[in-house]
Amino acid sequence: MVAVKNSFSASDYQSIRGFLDKSCGIVLGENKHYLVQNRLTPLLRRFDLSSSADLVKLLQSDMPSTRIVKVAVIDAMTTNETFWFRDVKQFNDLTDTVLPILLNNRKASLKIWSAACSTGQEPYTISMCAERAQRNLNVIKNVQVIGTDIAETVLTEAKRAVYSELALSRGISAQDREQFFENTHEGYKLKQTIAQRVRFQQFNLLKPFSVLGRFDVIFCRNVLIYFSDTIKRDILQRMAEALEPGGYLFLSSTESMPADITEFESVKGDARYFRKRS
Ligand SMILES: C[S@@+](CC[C@H](N)C(=O)[O-])C[C@H]1O[C@@H](n2cnc3c(N)ncnc32)[C@H](O)[C@@H]1O
Protein backbone atom coordinates (compact mmCIF):
# COMPACT_ATOMS: atom_id res chain seq x y z
CA MET A 1 0.00 0.00 0.00
CA VAL A 2 1.30 3.48 -0.88
CA ALA A 3 1.52 6.33 1.65
CA VAL A 4 -1.41 8.66 1.07
CA LYS A 5 -1.00 12.42 0.92
CA ASN A 6 -4.27 13.69 2.32
CA SER A 7 -4.35 17.25 1.06
CA PHE A 8 -5.95 18.16 -2.25
CA SER A 9 -4.15 21.01 -4.04
CA ALA A 10 -6.10 23.99 -5.38
CA SER A 11 -5.51 22.91 -8.98
CA ASP A 12 -6.63 19.31 -8.28
CA TYR A 13 -9.74 20.74 -6.62
CA GLN A 14 -10.48 22.76 -9.79
CA SER A 15 -9.96 19.65 -11.95
CA ILE A 16 -12.36 17.64 -9.80
CA ARG A 17 -14.93 20.45 -10.01
CA GLY A 18 -14.55 20.36 -13.79
CA PHE A 19 -15.00 16.56 -13.86
CA LEU A 20 -18.21 16.73 -11.78
CA ASP A 21 -19.64 19.56 -13.86
CA LYS A 22 -18.94 17.75 -17.14
CA SER A 23 -19.90 14.22 -16.10
CA CYS A 24 -23.04 14.85 -14.06
CA GLY A 25 -23.85 18.57 -14.15
CA ILE A 26 -23.06 19.10 -10.46
CA VAL A 27 -21.76 22.61 -9.85
CA LEU A 28 -19.60 22.89 -6.73
CA GLY A 29 -19.03 26.35 -5.29
CA GLU A 30 -15.53 27.77 -4.89
CA ASN A 31 -15.71 27.03 -1.16
CA LYS A 32 -16.32 23.26 -1.26
CA HIS A 33 -12.65 22.32 -1.20
CA TYR A 34 -12.97 20.76 2.28
CA LEU A 35 -16.01 18.71 1.16
CA VAL A 36 -14.10 17.27 -1.79
CA GLN A 37 -11.14 16.46 0.43
CA ASN A 38 -13.33 14.80 3.11
CA ARG A 39 -15.32 12.71 0.70
CA LEU A 40 -12.54 11.71 -1.70
CA THR A 41 -9.62 11.00 0.67
CA PRO A 42 -11.02 7.50 1.46
CA LEU A 43 -10.98 6.78 -2.28
CA LEU A 44 -7.23 7.46 -2.47
CA ARG A 45 -6.76 4.57 -0.04
CA ARG A 46 -9.33 2.37 -1.70
CA PHE A 47 -7.69 2.69 -5.13
CA ASP A 48 -4.15 2.72 -3.75
CA LEU A 49 -3.37 6.22 -5.02
CA SER A 50 -0.66 8.30 -3.40
CA SER A 51 -2.17 11.75 -4.00
CA SER A 52 -5.09 13.73 -5.39
CA ALA A 53 -3.00 14.37 -8.53
CA ASP A 54 -3.10 10.60 -9.28
CA LEU A 55 -6.87 10.64 -8.82
CA VAL A 56 -7.22 13.59 -11.21
CA LYS A 57 -5.14 11.76 -13.84
CA LEU A 58 -7.59 8.84 -13.73
CA LEU A 59 -10.59 11.18 -13.93
CA GLN A 60 -9.13 12.83 -17.02
CA SER A 61 -8.30 9.55 -18.74
CA ASP A 62 -10.51 7.98 -21.44
CA MET A 63 -9.38 4.44 -20.57
CA PRO A 64 -12.40 2.15 -19.87
CA SER A 65 -10.58 0.77 -16.80
CA THR A 66 -10.95 4.18 -15.09
CA ARG A 67 -14.76 3.86 -15.05
CA ILE A 68 -14.80 2.27 -11.59
CA VAL A 69 -12.93 5.25 -10.14
CA LYS A 70 -15.22 7.75 -11.88
CA VAL A 71 -18.32 5.94 -10.59
CA ALA A 72 -16.87 5.97 -7.05
CA VAL A 73 -16.14 9.72 -7.23
CA ILE A 74 -19.68 10.47 -8.43
CA ASP A 75 -21.11 8.19 -5.71
CA ALA A 76 -19.04 9.94 -3.05
CA MET A 77 -19.84 13.47 -4.21
CA THR A 78 -23.61 13.19 -4.72
CA THR A 79 -25.93 14.13 -1.86
CA ASN A 80 -28.42 11.30 -1.41
CA GLU A 81 -30.62 12.69 1.38
CA THR A 82 -34.19 11.45 1.01
CA PHE A 83 -37.12 10.20 3.09
CA TRP A 84 -40.63 8.79 2.83
CA PHE A 85 -43.52 11.09 1.85
CA ARG A 86 -41.07 14.01 1.60
CA ASP A 87 -43.19 17.14 1.03
CA VAL A 88 -46.27 15.21 2.12
CA LYS A 89 -48.75 17.69 0.56
CA GLN A 90 -47.48 16.65 -2.87
CA PHE A 91 -48.19 12.99 -2.17
CA ASN A 92 -51.67 13.86 -0.86
CA ASP A 93 -52.33 15.70 -4.12
CA LEU A 94 -50.89 12.80 -6.12
CA THR A 95 -53.24 10.33 -4.38
CA ASP A 96 -56.36 12.49 -4.21
CA THR A 97 -56.17 14.60 -7.38
CA VAL A 98 -53.56 13.66 -9.98
CA LEU A 99 -53.83 9.86 -9.96
CA PRO A 100 -57.67 9.88 -9.98
CA ILE A 101 -57.59 12.10 -13.10
CA LEU A 102 -55.09 9.82 -14.82
CA LEU A 103 -56.65 6.55 -13.65
CA ASN A 104 -60.06 7.65 -14.94
CA ASN A 105 -58.79 8.44 -18.43
CA ARG A 106 -58.91 5.94 -21.26
CA LYS A 107 -55.31 4.72 -21.05
CA ALA A 108 -54.76 1.13 -19.94
CA SER A 109 -51.50 1.84 -18.10
CA LEU A 110 -49.62 4.71 -16.45
CA LYS A 111 -45.91 5.40 -16.32
CA ILE A 112 -44.33 7.50 -13.55
CA TRP A 113 -40.66 8.53 -13.37
CA SER A 114 -38.77 9.34 -10.18
CA ALA A 115 -35.84 11.07 -11.85
CA ALA A 116 -33.26 11.18 -9.03
CA CYS A 117 -34.54 8.44 -6.77
CA SER A 118 -31.62 7.97 -4.37
CA THR A 119 -32.23 4.95 -2.07
CA GLY A 120 -35.79 4.38 -3.31
CA GLN A 121 -38.02 6.17 -0.80
CA GLU A 122 -39.49 8.48 -3.46
CA PRO A 123 -40.50 5.84 -6.07
CA TYR A 124 -41.76 3.48 -3.37
CA THR A 125 -43.82 6.31 -1.82
CA ILE A 126 -45.29 6.91 -5.30
CA SER A 127 -46.15 3.20 -5.51
CA MET A 128 -47.90 3.41 -2.10
CA CYS A 129 -49.94 6.37 -3.40
CA ALA A 130 -50.83 4.38 -6.55
CA GLU A 131 -51.99 1.50 -4.34
CA ARG A 132 -54.20 3.85 -2.28
CA ALA A 133 -55.61 5.77 -5.23
CA GLN A 134 -56.61 2.55 -7.01
CA ARG A 135 -58.20 1.20 -3.85
CA ASN A 136 -60.14 4.46 -3.29
CA LEU A 137 -61.44 4.44 -6.87
CA ASN A 138 -61.89 0.70 -7.02
CA VAL A 139 -59.97 0.48 -10.32
CA ILE A 140 -56.98 -1.63 -11.22
CA LYS A 141 -54.56 -0.37 -13.85
CA ASN A 142 -51.01 -1.21 -14.72
CA VAL A 143 -49.05 1.58 -12.97
CA GLN A 144 -45.30 1.37 -13.58
CA VAL A 145 -42.82 3.45 -11.60
CA ILE A 146 -39.25 3.79 -12.78
CA GLY A 147 -36.61 5.13 -10.39
CA THR A 148 -33.35 6.38 -11.88
CA ASP A 149 -30.22 7.85 -10.35
CA ILE A 150 -26.66 8.47 -11.47
CA ALA A 151 -25.16 6.94 -8.30
CA GLU A 152 -24.86 3.16 -8.34
CA THR A 153 -24.55 2.47 -4.59
CA VAL A 154 -27.90 4.10 -3.82
CA LEU A 155 -29.56 2.07 -6.56
CA THR A 156 -28.25 -1.16 -5.05
CA GLU A 157 -29.90 -0.16 -1.77
CA ALA A 158 -33.10 0.86 -3.53
CA LYS A 159 -33.38 -2.48 -5.33
CA ARG A 160 -32.88 -4.37 -2.07
CA ALA A 161 -35.96 -2.62 -0.60
CA VAL A 162 -34.95 -3.34 3.01
CA TYR A 163 -34.85 -0.38 5.41
CA SER A 164 -33.75 0.19 8.99
CA GLU A 165 -36.03 1.31 11.80
CA LEU A 166 -34.36 4.74 11.60
CA ALA A 167 -35.01 5.06 7.86
CA LEU A 168 -38.66 4.14 8.41
CA SER A 169 -38.98 6.64 11.26
CA ARG A 170 -38.45 9.36 8.64
CA GLY A 171 -41.96 9.57 7.17
CA ILE A 172 -43.57 6.15 7.65
CA SER A 173 -46.50 6.06 10.11
CA ALA A 174 -47.15 3.02 12.34
CA GLN A 175 -50.13 2.20 10.15
CA ASP A 176 -48.08 2.34 6.92
CA ARG A 177 -45.36 0.24 8.51
CA GLU A 178 -47.93 -2.43 9.29
CA GLN A 179 -49.52 -2.21 5.87
CA PHE A 180 -46.49 -1.96 3.58
CA PHE A 181 -43.51 -3.65 5.35
CA GLU A 182 -42.57 -7.03 6.76
CA ASN A 183 -40.28 -7.11 9.80
CA THR A 184 -37.47 -9.53 8.82
CA HIS A 185 -34.12 -10.36 10.44
CA GLU A 186 -32.44 -8.05 7.85
CA GLY A 187 -34.72 -5.10 8.56
CA TYR A 188 -38.08 -3.85 7.29
CA LYS A 189 -38.70 -5.35 3.87
CA LEU A 190 -41.11 -3.64 1.54
CA LYS A 191 -44.03 -5.86 0.62
CA GLN A 192 -44.19 -7.21 -2.91
CA THR A 193 -47.47 -5.40 -3.67
CA ILE A 194 -45.57 -2.08 -3.47
CA ALA A 195 -42.13 -3.19 -4.69
CA GLN A 196 -43.35 -5.01 -7.80
CA ARG A 197 -44.58 -1.79 -9.38
CA VAL A 198 -41.10 -0.19 -9.26
CA ARG A 199 -37.98 -0.87 -11.32
CA PHE A 200 -34.65 0.90 -11.14
CA GLN A 201 -32.12 1.98 -13.75
CA GLN A 202 -28.85 3.87 -13.59
CA PHE A 203 -29.34 7.06 -15.60
CA ASN A 204 -27.59 10.42 -15.90
CA LEU A 205 -30.01 13.34 -16.35
CA LEU A 206 -27.56 14.98 -18.76
CA LYS A 207 -28.21 12.16 -21.28
CA PRO A 208 -31.14 12.03 -23.76
CA PHE A 209 -34.38 10.87 -22.12
CA SER A 210 -35.67 9.04 -25.23
CA VAL A 211 -34.26 5.69 -23.99
CA LEU A 212 -36.69 5.83 -21.05
CA GLY A 213 -39.87 6.34 -23.11
CA ARG A 214 -42.69 8.73 -22.22
CA PHE A 215 -44.36 9.42 -18.89
CA ASP A 216 -47.66 10.51 -17.38
CA VAL A 217 -45.99 11.92 -14.25
CA ILE A 218 -42.40 12.93 -13.50
CA PHE A 219 -40.94 13.63 -10.06
CA CYS A 220 -37.76 15.68 -10.33
CA ARG A 221 -37.13 16.82 -6.78
CA ASN A 222 -34.11 18.02 -4.86
CA VAL A 223 -31.68 17.49 -7.71
CA LEU A 224 -31.98 20.56 -9.98
CA ILE A 225 -30.46 22.64 -7.17
CA TYR A 226 -27.07 21.05 -7.88
CA PHE A 227 -27.04 22.11 -11.55
CA SER A 228 -26.24 25.35 -13.36
CA ASP A 229 -29.16 27.44 -14.61
CA THR A 230 -28.48 26.35 -18.20
CA ILE A 231 -28.56 22.64 -17.35
CA LYS A 232 -31.64 23.08 -15.16
CA ARG A 233 -33.54 24.75 -18.02
CA ASP A 234 -32.39 22.13 -20.51
CA ILE A 235 -33.58 19.30 -18.22
CA LEU A 236 -36.98 20.96 -17.68
CA GLN A 237 -37.47 21.48 -21.44
CA ARG A 238 -36.60 17.87 -22.14
CA MET A 239 -38.91 16.70 -19.35
CA ALA A 240 -41.74 18.58 -21.06
CA GLU A 241 -40.98 16.56 -24.22
CA ALA A 242 -40.88 13.30 -22.24
CA LEU A 243 -44.31 13.94 -20.70
CA GLU A 244 -47.55 12.90 -22.37
CA PRO A 245 -49.89 15.85 -23.11
CA GLY A 246 -51.65 16.75 -19.84
CA GLY A 247 -48.91 14.94 -17.85
CA TYR A 248 -47.67 16.25 -14.51
CA LEU A 249 -44.28 17.37 -13.21
CA PHE A 250 -43.48 17.61 -9.49
CA LEU A 251 -40.56 19.78 -8.37
CA SER A 252 -39.50 20.08 -4.74
CA SER A 253 -41.06 22.76 -2.56
CA THR A 254 -37.83 24.78 -2.67
CA GLU A 255 -37.46 24.73 -6.47
CA SER A 256 -39.22 26.99 -8.95
CA MET A 257 -40.15 26.83 -12.61
CA PRO A 258 -38.30 29.52 -14.63
CA ALA A 259 -40.86 31.98 -16.04
CA ASP A 260 -39.67 31.52 -19.64
CA ILE A 261 -40.39 27.76 -19.64
CA THR A 262 -43.88 27.98 -21.04
CA GLU A 263 -44.62 24.28 -21.66
CA PHE A 264 -46.04 23.92 -18.15
CA GLU A 265 -48.89 25.55 -16.24
CA SER A 266 -48.81 25.65 -12.48
CA VAL A 267 -51.55 23.53 -10.89
CA LYS A 268 -50.89 24.47 -7.33
CA GLY A 269 -48.12 26.99 -6.78
CA ASP A 270 -47.43 26.18 -3.14
CA ALA A 271 -47.26 22.43 -3.78
CA ARG A 272 -44.95 23.02 -6.77
CA TYR A 273 -46.56 20.82 -9.30
CA PHE A 274 -47.26 21.56 -12.90
CA ARG A 275 -49.27 20.24 -15.83
CA LYS A 276 -47.89 20.06 -19.32
CA ARG A 277 -49.98 22.26 -21.58
CA SER A 278 -51.87 20.21 -24.20
C1 LIG B 1 -30.97 14.81 -2.60
S1 LIG B 1 -31.24 13.35 -3.55
C2 LIG B 1 -32.96 13.54 -3.94
C3 LIG B 1 -33.74 12.27 -3.74
C4 LIG B 1 -35.27 12.38 -3.95
N1 LIG B 1 -35.57 12.87 -5.26
C5 LIG B 1 -35.89 13.27 -2.90
O1 LIG B 1 -36.32 14.38 -3.21
O2 LIG B 1 -35.97 12.85 -1.74
C6 LIG B 1 -30.45 13.84 -5.09
C7 LIG B 1 -30.11 12.64 -5.98
O3 LIG B 1 -29.75 13.15 -7.29
C8 LIG B 1 -28.80 12.27 -7.84
N2 LIG B 1 -28.10 12.93 -8.96
C9 LIG B 1 -27.18 13.93 -8.91
N3 LIG B 1 -26.76 14.25 -10.15
C10 LIG B 1 -27.46 13.45 -11.01
C11 LIG B 1 -27.47 13.32 -12.43
N4 LIG B 1 -26.70 14.06 -13.22
N5 LIG B 1 -28.31 12.40 -12.97
C12 LIG B 1 -29.10 11.63 -12.17
N6 LIG B 1 -29.13 11.70 -10.83
C13 LIG B 1 -28.32 12.61 -10.25
C14 LIG B 1 -27.90 11.95 -6.64
O4 LIG B 1 -27.16 10.77 -6.84
C15 LIG B 1 -28.91 11.85 -5.50
O5 LIG B 1 -29.27 10.52 -5.21
Side-chain angles (χ1 to χ4, degrees):
M1 185 180 301
V2 293
V4 175
K5 195 167 149 244
N6 271 349
S7 58
F8 280 54
S9 71
S11 80
D12 289 343
Y13 171 61
Q14 293 307 335
S15 303
I16 290 164
R17 275 181 82 198
F19 165 78
L20 288 170
D21 186 8
K22 194 161 152 242
S23 60
C24 52
I26 292 176
V27 182
L28 283 185
E30 288 287 346
N31 56 348
K32 292 286 170 19
H33 195 137
Y34 73 93
L35 183 80
V36 166
Q37 182 155 311
N38 281 353
R39 292 200 184 171
L40 299 190
T41 298
L43 297 189
L44 299 184
R45 289 195 195 92
R46 179 168 146 201
F47 293 109
D48 223 4
L49 304 171
S50 57
S51 67
S52 56
D54 289 351
L55 180 65
V56 166
K57 265 189 223 141
L58 295 178
L59 297 181
Q60 290 174 340
S61 159
D62 290 331
M63 297 282 288
S65 58
T66 59
R67 181 178 183 275
I68 183 173
V69 177
K70 292 173 184 160
V71 166
V73 167
I74 291 172
D75 269 13
M77 291 308 305
T78 45
T79 299
N80 309 119
E81 162 72 0
T82 188
F83 52 93
W84 305 93
F85 292 93
R86 185 174 192 175
D87 285 335
V88 70
K89 271 202 279 180
Q90 293 194 320
F91 290 106
N92 292 341
D93 286 337
L94 179 70
T95 310
D96 299 336
T97 309
V98 171
L99 283 172
I101 291 170
L102 296 172
L103 288 166
N104 281 326
N105 73 14
R106 280 168 300 146
K107 286 176 64 178
S109 61
L110 298 181
K111 233 176 126 187
I112 304 178
W113 180 21
S114 165
C117 68
S118 188
T119 41
Q121 283 86 334
E122 182 176 274
Y124 288 138
T125 300
I126 295 169
S127 180
M128 291 171 191
C129 295
E131 183 79 10
R132 278 201 181 119
Q134 296 193 81
R135 219 177 281 160
N136 294 345
L137 297 170
N138 205 12
V139 292
I140 298 176
K141 280 203 182 179
N142 177 18
V143 180
Q144 298 168 23
V145 183
I146 172 167
T148 65
D149 201 285
I150 196 171
E152 296 188 3
T153 45
V154 290
L155 288 173
T156 306
E157 247 184 86
K159 285 179 197 159
R160 200 167 156 253
V162 177
Y163 296 90
S164 66
E165 177 119 37
L166 181 67
L168 253 59
S169 73
R170 303 188 65 203
I172 291 289
S173 65
Q175 198 189 353
D176 287 349
R177 176 191 295 207
E178 185 65 29
Q179 191 180 349
F180 296 130
F181 293 87
E182 287 163 50
N183 190 357
T184 72
H185 66 279
E186 295 172 294
Y188 288 89
K189 186 156 182 55
L190 200 67
K191 286 191 183 161
Q192 224 8 55
T193 42
I194 301 304
Q196 48 93 24
R197 219 174 263 124
V198 186
R199 75 181 171 84
F200 293 96
Q201 185 175 330
Q202 198 265 345
F203 183 76
N204 183 349
L205 288 169
L206 302 193
K207 302 282 184 209
F209 299 162
S210 48
V211 292
L212 301 171
R214 291 173 72 85
F215 297 96
D216 299 288
V217 183
I218 299 177
F219 276 71
C220 181
R221 306 185 317 150
N222 301 297
V223 64
L224 295 174
I225 36 166
Y226 300 109
F227 301 148
S228 68
D229 214 44
T230 314
I231 289 181
K232 175 178 162 172
R233 276 161 203 275
D234 174 57
I235 288 175
L236 289 170
Q237 298 274 10
R238 291 187 294 120
M239 285 191 165
E241 286 162 29
L243 272 176
E244 299 285 2
Y248 293 83
L249 172 70
F250 285 79
L251 300 181
S252 78
S253 56
T254 52
E255 284 159 333
S256 55
M257 180 68 72
D260 58 335
I261 299 208
T262 52
E263 285 86 346
F264 295 101
E265 57 187 351
S266 173
V267 183
K268 209 170 174 190
D270 61 332
R272 292 279 191 271
Y273 74 95
F274 304 84
R275 185 168 40 225
K276 179 179 171 177
R277 291 181 202 277
S278 305

